[in-house]
Short mmCIF file of all heavy atoms in Angstrom, two decimals:
data_model
loop_
_atom_site.label_atom_id
_atom_site.label_comp_id
_atom_site.label_asym_id
_atom_site.label_seq_id
_atom_site.Cartn_x
_atom_site.Cartn_y
_atom_site.Cartn_z
N MET A 1 0.84 -1.20 0.00
CA MET A 1 0.00 0.00 0.00
C MET A 1 0.87 1.24 0.00
O MET A 1 1.83 1.34 0.77
CB MET A 1 -0.91 0.00 1.23
CG MET A 1 -1.95 -1.10 1.24
SD MET A 1 -3.05 -0.98 2.67
CE MET A 1 -1.89 -1.37 3.99
N ARG A 2 0.54 2.18 -0.86
CA ARG A 2 1.31 3.41 -0.95
C ARG A 2 0.64 4.49 -0.11
O ARG A 2 -0.59 4.67 -0.18
CB ARG A 2 1.44 3.87 -2.39
CG ARG A 2 2.55 4.91 -2.57
CD ARG A 2 2.81 5.21 -4.00
NE ARG A 2 4.10 5.87 -4.13
CZ ARG A 2 4.43 6.66 -5.14
NH1 ARG A 2 3.57 6.89 -6.10
NH2 ARG A 2 5.62 7.21 -5.20
N ALA A 3 1.44 5.21 0.67
CA ALA A 3 0.89 6.22 1.57
C ALA A 3 1.45 7.59 1.25
O ALA A 3 2.62 7.73 0.85
CB ALA A 3 1.21 5.86 3.02
N LEU A 4 0.62 8.60 1.42
CA LEU A 4 1.03 10.00 1.32
C LEU A 4 1.01 10.60 2.71
O LEU A 4 0.08 10.34 3.49
CB LEU A 4 0.09 10.76 0.39
CG LEU A 4 0.36 12.25 0.17
CD1 LEU A 4 -0.03 12.67 -1.23
CD2 LEU A 4 -0.40 13.10 1.19
N VAL A 5 2.01 11.42 3.02
CA VAL A 5 2.12 12.01 4.36
C VAL A 5 2.29 13.52 4.23
O VAL A 5 3.16 14.00 3.49
CB VAL A 5 3.32 11.43 5.14
CG1 VAL A 5 3.38 12.03 6.54
CG2 VAL A 5 3.23 9.91 5.22
N THR A 6 1.47 14.28 4.94
CA THR A 6 1.70 15.71 5.12
C THR A 6 2.24 15.92 6.53
O THR A 6 1.95 15.14 7.43
CB THR A 6 0.42 16.54 4.92
OG1 THR A 6 -0.41 16.40 6.08
CG2 THR A 6 -0.35 16.08 3.69
N GLY A 7 3.02 16.98 6.72
CA GLY A 7 3.66 17.17 8.02
C GLY A 7 4.77 16.15 8.27
O GLY A 7 5.09 15.82 9.42
N ALA A 8 5.37 15.66 7.19
CA ALA A 8 6.31 14.55 7.28
C ALA A 8 7.64 14.92 7.92
O ALA A 8 8.39 14.04 8.36
CB ALA A 8 6.58 13.97 5.89
N THR A 9 7.98 16.20 7.98
CA THR A 9 9.27 16.58 8.56
C THR A 9 9.17 16.87 10.05
O THR A 9 10.17 17.18 10.69
CB THR A 9 9.84 17.83 7.85
OG1 THR A 9 8.90 18.91 7.98
CG2 THR A 9 10.07 17.55 6.37
N GLY A 10 7.98 16.74 10.62
CA GLY A 10 7.80 16.95 12.05
C GLY A 10 8.18 15.73 12.87
O GLY A 10 8.56 14.68 12.33
N PHE A 11 8.06 15.86 14.16
CA PHE A 11 8.44 14.80 15.10
C PHE A 11 7.68 13.51 14.82
O PHE A 11 8.27 12.42 14.77
CB PHE A 11 8.17 15.30 16.53
CG PHE A 11 8.52 14.32 17.62
CD1 PHE A 11 9.79 13.78 17.71
CD2 PHE A 11 7.58 13.97 18.58
CE1 PHE A 11 10.12 12.89 18.73
CE2 PHE A 11 7.90 13.10 19.60
CZ PHE A 11 9.17 12.56 19.67
N ILE A 12 6.38 13.60 14.63
CA ILE A 12 5.57 12.41 14.35
C ILE A 12 5.78 11.95 12.91
O ILE A 12 5.96 10.76 12.64
CB ILE A 12 4.08 12.70 14.61
CG1 ILE A 12 3.84 13.02 16.08
CG2 ILE A 12 3.21 11.52 14.17
CD1 ILE A 12 2.44 13.54 16.38
N GLY A 13 5.78 12.89 11.98
CA GLY A 13 5.88 12.54 10.57
C GLY A 13 7.15 11.79 10.22
O GLY A 13 7.12 10.82 9.45
N ARG A 14 8.28 12.22 10.79
CA ARG A 14 9.55 11.54 10.49
C ARG A 14 9.52 10.08 10.94
O ARG A 14 9.98 9.19 10.23
CB ARG A 14 10.71 12.28 11.16
CG ARG A 14 10.98 13.65 10.61
CD ARG A 14 12.34 14.18 11.04
NE ARG A 14 12.57 14.11 12.47
CZ ARG A 14 12.26 15.08 13.33
NH1 ARG A 14 11.69 16.20 12.88
NH2 ARG A 14 12.51 14.96 14.61
N ARG A 15 8.96 9.85 12.11
CA ARG A 15 8.88 8.47 12.63
C ARG A 15 7.89 7.65 11.82
O ARG A 15 8.12 6.46 11.56
CB ARG A 15 8.48 8.52 14.11
CG ARG A 15 8.28 7.16 14.76
CD ARG A 15 9.59 6.36 14.83
NE ARG A 15 9.33 5.07 15.44
CZ ARG A 15 8.81 4.02 14.80
NH1 ARG A 15 8.51 4.12 13.50
NH2 ARG A 15 8.60 2.88 15.43
#
Side-chain angles (χ1 to χ4, degrees):
M1 293 183 293
R2 196 171 197 204
L4 179 147
V5 182
T6 76
T9 59
F11 180 55
I12 296 171
R14 293 195 308 270
R15 177 65 181 80

